[in-house]
Amino acid sequence: MRTFVRLCWLLLGVLFIFSGLVKLNDPIGTAYKLEEYFEVFAVDFGSFFLAFKSIARTLSITLSSLEVVLGVALLLRWNLRFTLWSLFVLLVFFTFLTFYSAFFNKVTDCGCFGDFIKLTPWQSFSKDVFLLVLWVIVFLNQRYLRRVFAKGTLGTMYITFAGAVAVGIGVYALGHLPYFDFLPYKVGNNIGKLMQPSAPLRYKYIMEKGGQSQEFTEYPTDTTWKFKQMVALNPEDGPKIIDFRVWGADQADVTPEVLKGNKLLLIVQGVEKADRDRFEQINATLAGADSSRKKIESMIITSSSPNEFDVFRHEVNLSGKYYFADATVLKSMIRSNPGFMLLQNGVVKGKFHYHDIPDREKLEELL
């Protein structure tokens, strides 16, 4: 029993640290997920939840760092009873969120492990129930965990250090880009190929006749069967990118043009929250790309309306042709507003936060 309890204690602490670190790797992605929850709660419980959207990034780093700190505290058995009750409060909160998402089908991905591990709502809820079971086992058998690995001033120093490291990881990722990119637009990926299935998709057809349902691997020729549903048998072979599209002011699709040749994309997700302080350097980079011997063509892409963006580009003295894309797509492409993405025939060669704007030499080196 002692061995079993210690295994549960170790697993609970490690999972909390892992969960927190994965979220801190991409705090903006976690903030997007929190904003999604706030929008849902605003509809279901009250519009006051919308006020939390303005502090979503702060909450993202705070909650994720708290997971890491509590995981470290548990492994050190520092103030064990207080740590366990704090973990319980956090677990109940997460379990409510995941159950609410799953039961009412509100948020299809809780973001529990960021974009590293995608979980369905019910999988997320099952994960939280499993953690609660681990917590109950550890809480009821604390007598097997009497030895404290760090207590007093030393323990406080360890916890403070863990908190500082966790916050530092999150803040750095917030001001630059995620350390590890798990999104489809990461460096090295071929966007064009990911828009195509990796293998021919196979389907099964669920048909109905006389109140009875039956599955067919080929569409039945018997017209008495009524079509009910078509389900992919190999969805993992489907396109990984299904919503990438860029169009001009005249609504003409320019997606093939974006994926051809050397392209430097300046992505301005939305003008209302875009950083305006670095456009002198951004304009210099665009000018350098246009004069490059590598024949780099610059393209500006935004999700804002033409009128909004026209006002914005005059404010920041931004010249060049601009195009449009879906806001969610741009948020997935880069966690920076504005941000640069360098493409070579659709292959992502580089991504840059507005704190790390590249010069022409850097762009040519990557190509």
Side-chain angles (χ1 to χ4, degrees), residues 80-339:
L80 187 58
R81 195 168 187 84
F82 171 79
T83 297
L84 283 171
W85 278 115
S86 300
L87 285 171
F88 179 73
V89 171
L90 210 56
L91 277 173
V92 169
F93 172 68
F94 288 147
T95 304
F96 164 75
L97 288 183
T98 53
F99 173 77
Y100 185 82
S101 299
F103 189 79
F104 295 102
N105 195 30
K106 293 289 185 177
V107 181
T108 56
D109 174 21
C110 74
C112 302
F113 294 122
D115 291 292
F116 178 58
I117 302 176
K118 290 286 190 179
L119 299 177
T120 66
W122 283 116
Q123 287 173 338
S124 300
F125 175 68
S126 300
K127 179 265 300 177
D128 287 331
V129 170
F130 172 69
L131 291 176
L132 276 172
V133 170
L134 291 180
W135 182 90
V136 170
I137 293 171
V138 173
F139 183 79
L140 295 179
N141 295 277
Q142 295 178 54
R143 62 186 181 277
Y144 296 120
L145 303 171
R146 287 177 178 169
R147 182 186 174 190
V148 179
F149 296 109
K151 53 187 175 181
T153 303
L154 182 61
T156 303
M157 289 175 59
Y158 283 155
I159 299 303
T160 303
F161 179 74
V165 170
V167 171
I169 290 172
V171 169
Y172 186 85
L174 187 67
H176 298 272
L177 290 176
Y179 303 89
F180 303 99
D181 192 347
F182 302 113
L183 293 166
Y185 300 94
K186 67 181 180 181
V187 174
N189 277 8
N190 188 317
I191 297 174
K193 283 188 176 181
L194 292 178
M195 293 171 66
Q196 305 296 325
S198 56
L201 290 176
R202 296 176 287 106
Y203 297 93
K204 66 179 179 181
Y205 304 92
I206 302 176
M207 313 295 289
E208 189 175 40
K209 182 169 68 173
Q212 299 294 320
S213 294
Q214 187 171 332
E215 296 181 358
F216 296 86
T217 54
E218 294 185 1
Y219 200 89
T221 56
D222 186 351
T223 56
T224 60
W225 285 101
K226 183 180 179 181
F227 175 79
K228 190 175 180 182
Q229 189 179 6
M230 182 173 70
V231 180
L233 294 173
N234 56 334
E236 67 281 356
D237 293 326
K240 303 301 185 290
I241 297 177
I242 59 175
D243 48 7
F244 180 75
R245 178 176 173 267
V246 182
W247 62 91
D250 57 356
Q251 298 297 315
D253 188 1
V254 297
T255 308
E257 180 65 21
V258 175
L259 302 178
K260 187 187 304 180
N262 296 332
K263 295 291 190 300
L264 178 64
L265 309 182
L266 172 62
I267 298 170
V268 183
Q269 297 167 4
V271 298
E272 67 282 352
K273 293 185 178 179
D275 182 275
R276 287 168 159 79
D277 297 334
R278 291 166 178 80
F279 270 88
E280 183 177 347
Q281 189 177 352
I282 287 173
N283 289 329
T285 294
L286 292 174
D290 291 338
S291 62
S292 170
R293 58 187 175 84
K294 293 284 188 177
K295 298 181 180 179
I296 305 172
E297 181 183 352
S298 299
M299 301 180 73
I300 304 166
I301 305 177
T302 184
S303 65
S304 296
S305 69
N307 290 338
E308 286 178 324
F309 194 76
D310 199 48
V311 172
F312 172 81
R313 73 187 185 92
H314 282 96
E315 288 179 358
V316 298
N317 196 29
L318 177 63
S319 61
K321 296 181 67 176
Y322 55 93
Y323 304 87
F324 304 92
D326 179 75
T328 302
V329 172
L330 297 184
K331 290 177 180 179
S332 297
M333 290 176 70
I334 190 165
R335 303 298 204 208
S336 177
N337 184 26

Side-chain angles (χ1 to χ4, degrees), residues 29-39 53 55-61 63 93 97:
T30 305
Y32 288 153
K33 192 58 59 179
L34 289 174
E35 289 176 0
E36 190 176 351
Y37 273 112
F38 295 147
E39 289 171 357
K53 290 182 65 176
I55 59 170
R57 295 186 179 186
T58 302
L59 288 174
S60 167
I61 293 179
L63 290 174
F93 172 68
L97 288 183

